Amino acid sequence: MQQALAEDLSHGDVTTSALFPTALQATATIVAHQPMTVAGVAVAREVFLTVDPSVRITTAIKDGRAVKPDTTVLTVQGDVRSLLMTERVAVNFLQQLSGIATLTAQFCAAVRGYPTRILDTRKTTPGLRALEKWAVALGGGKNHRFSLGDGVLIKDNHLAVLRSTGIDVAGACRLARAGAPHGLRIEVEAKTLQEVKEALAGKADIILLDNMSPALVRQAVALIKQRALVEVSGGMTLQTVAAMAQAGADFISVGALTHSAPAANLSMDLSTSRGHRARGR
């Protein structure tokens, strides 16, 4: 948050300082302009209070709540100079995080009725992973690893190097089991049914079926027979995710939740006690 504020305010706000040399009380109202799952209100509050601890938060929608268009998400009262300086950073956080939460909620709705959980990935904006994964959770999704130290996930590049030394998927699982910290689950990627068989031979806890068709996923699930959990990944969309859930996936990981979620449509309006009102940019 400090870094985000520094981007805008490291050299001050020359426009606001020139136009408002003295204090003027105003009200900032942040409004949602589309149906959305709200995320980032707590962050926006801190942004306003960091710039000016004297501002008053008079309305604040709870993070994770689904709202309709024209819903007031946050209302802040205080010196107009503080509100103007803070506007862009506060709204940016709300737009980005609400976009992620809204898309996550849509994916979760698409698999409703199946015992399948929607997962995020590490495909996050550098420096914003904790906030973006928080937004995923607010939208109903489940967080995968926060960092490389949170779990063993043997991916295609690991396997490519190991194969050059004569080690197959089963051997990779055994190496990970022997060398990883005690208690961590072993997850391994499989692109073919043969690799699924090797993962089972290596006693993987989770088998990640990557870029398989729903029909092939169904075959893999039948082969696994609940001896491991099944995660599916690879270009998931709102149009295809239900078919993967129907095929028997326990988890579906969706990189798009954080790397391609469209920003939610919110804006900040300012008004003064004199009745003037302006739409923010």
Side-chain angles (χ1 to χ4, degrees):
M1 183 176 64
Q2 295 290 352
Q3 184 178 351
L5 286 168
E7 287 177 337
D8 264 355
L9 298 175
S10 58
H11 300 290
D13 179 352
V14 295
T15 307
T16 296
S17 296
L19 296 177
F20 303 102
T22 59
L24 174 64
Q25 290 299 301
T27 299
T29 305
I30 298 179
V31 179
H33 299 295
Q34 66 175 78
M36 69 177 68
T37 299
V38 175
V41 172
V43 182
R45 286 176 57 121
E46 288 305 307
V47 169
F48 283 108
L49 290 168
T50 296
V51 170
D52 185 350
S54 72
V55 302
R56 300 183 304 282
I57 311 295
T58 58
T59 303
I61 290 289
K62 185 177 180 181
D63 282 309
R65 177 177 163 186
V67 302
K68 297 178 180 180
D70 301 321
T71 298
T72 295
V73 171
L74 187 65
T75 305
V76 186
Q77 295 178 336
D79 188 337
V80 70
R81 296 171 295 182
S82 301
L83 302 179
L84 286 167
M85 287 190 292
T86 315
E87 173 186 358
R88 187 70 271 146
V89 175
V91 175
N92 280 353
F93 274 120
L94 279 166
Q95 288 180 323
Q96 168 122 345
L97 298 177
S98 295
I100 291 170
T102 299
L103 183 60
T104 302
Q106 291 169 349
F107 268 93
C108 291
V111 300
R112 190 168 295 138
Y114 299 101
T116 305
R117 295 296 303 271
I118 298 297
L119 304 179
D120 57 21
T121 70
R122 287 173 31 255
K123 297 175 181 178
T124 54
T125 306
L128 295 181
R129 179 170 295 166
L131 287 176
E132 292 182 346
K133 282 181 169 285
W134 172 59
V136 168
L138 288 170
K142 183 178 176 62
N143 296 145
H144 210 300
R145 299 183 299 172
F146 273 82
S147 74
L148 293 172
D150 290 335
V152 175
L153 176 49
I154 307 168
K155 296 277 286 180
D156 54 352
N157 282 332
H158 299 110
L159 294 170
V161 176
L162 288 171
R163 285 194 189 95
S164 71
T165 67
I167 298 173
D168 64 4
V169 173
C173 294
R174 295 187 188 104
L175 279 174
R177 183 80 66 191
H182 175 71
L184 290 182
R185 294 195 295 189
I186 306 300
E187 180 170 4
V188 64
E189 184 175 298
K191 294 182 179 293
T192 66
L193 293 180
Q194 176 58 36
E195 290 181 347
V196 170
K197 293 175 183 177
E198 293 174 16
L200 290 169
K203 299 189 183 303
D205 299 300
I206 307 171
I207 301 177
L208 173 59
L209 307 178
D210 186 54
N211 282 302
M212 289 189 179
S213 67
L216 196 55
V217 167
R218 193 173 292 108
Q219 293 180 54
V221 168
L223 184 63
I224 293 166
K225 295 180 181 177
Q226 298 185 332
R227 287 175 287 175
L229 293 170
V230 176
E231 180 181 337
V232 176
S233 71
M236 295 299 155
T237 69
L238 288 169
Q239 290 70 43
T240 62
V241 69
M244 290 299 186
Q246 188 177 32
D250 296 297
F251 305 105
I252 299 175
S253 51
V254 185
L257 299 181
T258 50
H259 71 59
S260 296
N265 187 2
L266 300 105
S267 67
M268 189 178 98
D269 297 339
L270 277 176
S271 61
T272 68
S273 58
R274 299 174 184 176
H276 298 294
R277 189 176 183 87
R279 172 65 58 85
R281 294 184 63 186

